[in-house]
Amino acid sequence: MRALYDVPAPAKLNLFLHVVGRREDGYHLLQSVFVLIDWSDTLHFELRHDGQLHRHDLGPALPEDDLSLRAARLLQQRSGTALGADIFVLKRVPWGAGLGGGSSDAASVLLALNRLWGLNWSRAQLLELAPLLGADVPFFVGGRNAFVEGIGDRLTPLEVPVERFAVVKPPVELPTKNIFSSPLLSGRKTDAIVAFFPADDVTHTILQPGFGHNDLQAAAEDQAHEVAQAAQWLRARYGNSRMTGSGSAVFARIKKRATIDVSLTATKLEDDASALASLPTKWAGRLCSSLSRHPLDGWVG
């Protein structure tokens, strides 16, 4: 194999995010449901035999040593391979948004280079590397929508019904460390949902549209009024809104229509699209569908 093209790196939404404790080392303990969506970056890989790793930006310029390069370097070092790669990144998912774009890129790099380099590592082996790159990376390597606990490293796969979302990203980036160090988060703690998982009744509860909240949202809105503005904009149009991750992106569930009339459904889709077209200048918005599996889920056992 000499190359892999059009490798997707999908974003995620946190349907809720509860801070349930804090470790002695300062890391916060979370409970959340992560859901994959069809807003994706695209990566291409070409094999090198000289051991060098190079990233080429096909869209917005990324930091010199971003997560995709760090993921490639880590896999190269741990596997001991003498091979390298040219990595081409077409960035579409906004960063500083809580959508997990950089983490997803890193996971897709691990999955793709594992195949391109012929390493044949198992998912369990790749999952050992994932937390070294970031708290969200294990989820994307895991390949399934999941109930997530700990610092993002404990995954329980969930079957989540396919839903549609309107996702809005105001023109502000929120560093995760700033949100977690906010005084508004100090001492805040939501009781853990359950002491065990899974349980059918609990699964049903946490997937309900109105369940839970995002404990980080108040801190994000305090640091960037645009987050509150985006939440209000979505609520006015869809009747609900919630921030994902540590922000700044906010999403709304698009309620299912009772009718199955194709023409009415098409009209509704047009109305949703036109609503996002009216976003303020420099805001990003997209109508998304959730995914039942990561597109690369079958690439590793």
Side-chain angles (χ1 to χ4, degrees), residues 15 33 158-161 163 202-209 253:
L15 297 190
V33 165
L158 282 181
E159 293 295 334
V160 179
E163 294 188 273
V202 174
T203 302
H204 176 76
T205 299
I206 66 177
L207 294 179
Q208 293 305 302
R253 273 173 151 135

Side-chain angles (χ1 to χ4, degrees), residues 215-234:
D215 283 336
L216 307 181
Q217 188 162 343
E221 291 180 349
D222 180 63
Q223 295 183 26
H225 69 88
E226 294 92 340
V227 175
Q229 187 179 353
Q232 183 179 9
W233 190 94
L234 284 167

Side-chain angles (χ1 to χ4, degrees), residues 16-21 29-32 147-150 154 188-197 202 206 211 213 215:
F16 64 87
L17 194 161
H18 297 168
V19 177
V20 298
L29 299 173
L30 310 174
Q31 285 189 332
S32 183
F147 179 71
V148 180
E149 299 179 273
R154 294 165 54 196
R188 184 181 179 93
K189 179 177 176 293
T190 298
D191 290 337
I193 297 169
V194 284
F196 60 93
F197 202 87
V202 174
I206 66 177
F211 176 82
H213 43 266
D215 283 336

Side-chain angles (χ1 to χ4, degrees), residues 14 29 31 44 52 65 94 109 118 124 130 147 153 164 166 172 183 189 203 213 241 245 253 256 288:
N14 298 83
L29 299 173
Q31 285 189 332
H44 313 288
Q52 294 188 38
D65 192 34
V109 167
F147 179 71
D153 55 336
R164 294 180 61 243
V172 59
K189 179 177 176 293
T203 302
H213 43 266
S241 68
R253 273 173 151 135
K256 296 178 181 178
C288 299

Side-chain angles (χ1 to χ4, degrees), residues 63-221:
E64 183 176 350
D65 192 34
D66 75 322
L67 272 178
S68 62
L69 269 181
R70 289 163 54 192
R73 190 182 309 119
L74 181 62
L75 182 60
Q76 185 186 59
Q77 292 171 349
R78 293 298 179 91
S79 67
T81 183
L83 298 172
D86 285 295
I87 304 170
F88 302 82
V89 181
L90 178 56
K91 192 71 181 168
R92 295 190 182 95
V93 177
W95 54 78
L99 295 168
S103 296
S104 186
D105 292 346
S108 288
V109 167
L110 292 177
L111 293 163
L113 291 183
N114 182 47
R115 170 173 280 207
L116 185 66
W117 290 341
L119 301 178
N120 297 316
W121 278 28
S122 67
R123 192 188 309 274
Q125 288 175 288
L126 294 178
L127 281 171
E128 290 181 5
L129 301 186
L132 304 177
L133 297 164
D136 288 345
V137 181
F139 164 69
F140 291 106
V141 173
R144 298 277 303 279
N145 298 318
F147 179 71
V148 180
E149 299 179 273
I151 59 172
D153 55 336
R154 294 165 54 196
L155 307 172
T156 301
L158 282 181
E159 293 295 334
V160 179
V162 174
E163 294 188 273
R164 294 180 61 243
F165 300 92
V167 185
V168 168
K169 163 69 170 63
V172 59
E173 285 73 48
L174 295 175
T176 300
K177 63 179 182 180
N178 292 0
I179 300 301
F180 277 101
S181 61
S182 168
L184 291 178
L185 197 63
S186 178
R188 184 181 179 93
K189 179 177 176 293
T190 298
D191 290 337
I193 297 169
V194 284
F196 60 93
F197 202 87
D200 290 342
D201 55 337
V202 174
T203 302
H204 176 76
T205 299
I206 66 177
L207 294 179
Q208 293 305 302
F211 176 82
H213 43 266
N214 185 334
D215 283 336
L216 307 181
Q217 188 162 343
E221 291 180 349

